[in-house]
Amino acid sequence: MTTNPDGKADAAAQSPQQPRRRAPAGAAVLREDVTEAIRSAVFEELAAVGYARMSIEGIARRAGVGKTAVYRRWRSKLHLVLDLVSAIAVQGLPAPDTGTLEGDLRLLYEVTSRALRHPVASQVIPDLQAEAARNPDIAQAMQKALREGQEGVASGIVAAAERRGEVRMGIDDEMALDLISGPLYWRSVVIRDQKLPKGYLEKLARATAAALKAL
C-alpha cells in the first residue's frame, strides 16, 4: 500500500480495479436476419405440414440454421407460434381514410381479402383454429390476433363515420364489428373460397355500410 503526502492511503491501491464488462459478441448476439429467417420458415412449415407435425428440426432445416439458433429464441414450437400470432395482432391492419364509410369498408375488404387469400395464410389460419380447440394458449393468441386487429380498425371506421354524420352516434360496437368482419372471414376462412365473385367486395362494402346506417 502506498501513501500520499498527507499520509492517506492511495485509493487506487486500496481497492482492486474492477474488471471491465465486455459487450456480447458472436453467438451471444441474436442476429435479426436469422430471427426473420426462422419466422418465415415457421409460416412455411405450418402451411406445408400443419402445427401437429411441425418440428423444431423442420423449421431449422427450412431456415438454414441449426436447432440451437431456434431454441435460443423460443423454448418450444408452441412458444414460437404464440409469439408469431401475437406479433400479427400488434401489427394490425392499416386504418382506411377515404372520406366515406363505404370507401373505408371497400379498402378494408380489399386489404383483408388479399391477406386471407395468401397461400400461407389460407393454410395456417384454419390449422391453428383447429389446434385452438385443443390448446387454450393457442386459442387465446388466435383470439387476440384475429379479433383485436379487426376490432381496432372497425372501431376507427365507425368513429370516423360518426364524426361525418353517416351513422348515428353511439351505435352498438359489437354488432358493428360482426357486420364489418363476419362476411369476409366466413367466405375466406370457413368456406375457403379463394376466388371471390366479380364485384363481391364492392357489393359487400355497400351492403355493410347500409346495415351500419340502420343500427
Side-chain angles (χ1 to χ4, degrees), residues 1-205:
M1 180 183 299
T2 61
T3 59
N4 58 27
D6 295 328
K8 296 181 180 179
D10 192 330
Q14 192 173 24
S15 59
Q17 186 176 2
Q18 295 296 321
R20 182 177 299 176
R21 290 179 178 271
R22 296 181 59 186
V29 177
L30 297 180
R31 288 171 46 190
E32 186 60 28
D33 59 331
V34 173
T35 302
E36 288 304 315
I38 295 171
R39 289 190 175 117
S40 297
V42 171
F43 283 116
E44 294 171 4
E45 193 75 358
L46 277 171
V49 303
Y51 177 82
R53 294 175 56 196
M54 186 179 76
S55 66
I56 297 296
E57 290 83 355
I59 293 169
R61 184 167 53 250
R62 193 178 290 272
V65 300
K67 288 192 298 181
T68 304
V70 182
Y71 281 119
R72 275 199 211 106
R73 293 161 172 82
W74 297 279
R75 297 201 306 266
S76 67
K77 73 174 186 178
L78 173 60
H79 290 90
L80 205 167
V81 170
L82 291 178
D83 178 53
L84 295 187
V85 172
S86 298
I88 294 173
V90 172
Q91 291 172 2
L93 293 167
D97 185 16
T98 65
T100 67
L101 174 58
E102 187 174 327
D104 287 352
L105 291 170
R106 174 67 185 274
L107 183 56
L108 173 64
Y109 289 150
E110 288 176 353
V111 173
T112 305
S113 178
R114 284 198 299 269
L116 292 175
R117 288 202 311 271
H118 189 281
V120 174
S122 64
Q123 293 293 327
V124 169
I125 292 176
D127 182 65
L128 288 180
Q129 284 180 322
E131 286 296 328
R134 298 183 286 270
N135 189 315
D137 290 329
I138 292 181
Q140 184 177 7
M142 289 293 291
Q143 170 82 356
K144 183 179 181 64
L146 295 179
R147 180 184 174 86
E148 291 189 5
Q150 282 283 322
E151 191 170 39
V153 175
S155 297
I157 290 175
V158 170
E162 287 178 336
R163 290 193 298 270
R164 292 190 296 260
E166 293 180 282
V167 299
R168 71 174 182 82
M169 297 295 294
I171 68 173
D172 187 332
D173 288 338
E174 287 291 325
M175 181 65 71
L177 177 62
D178 290 345
L179 288 171
I180 292 172
S181 302
L184 195 56
Y185 273 91
W186 170 263
R187 181 173 285 274
S188 300
V189 178
V190 180
I191 299 179
R192 303 185 68 182
D193 187 351
Q194 293 299 301
K195 188 175 181 180
L196 297 174
K198 185 178 181 180
Y200 176 81
L201 296 180
E202 183 179 353
K203 293 177 182 177
L204 179 60

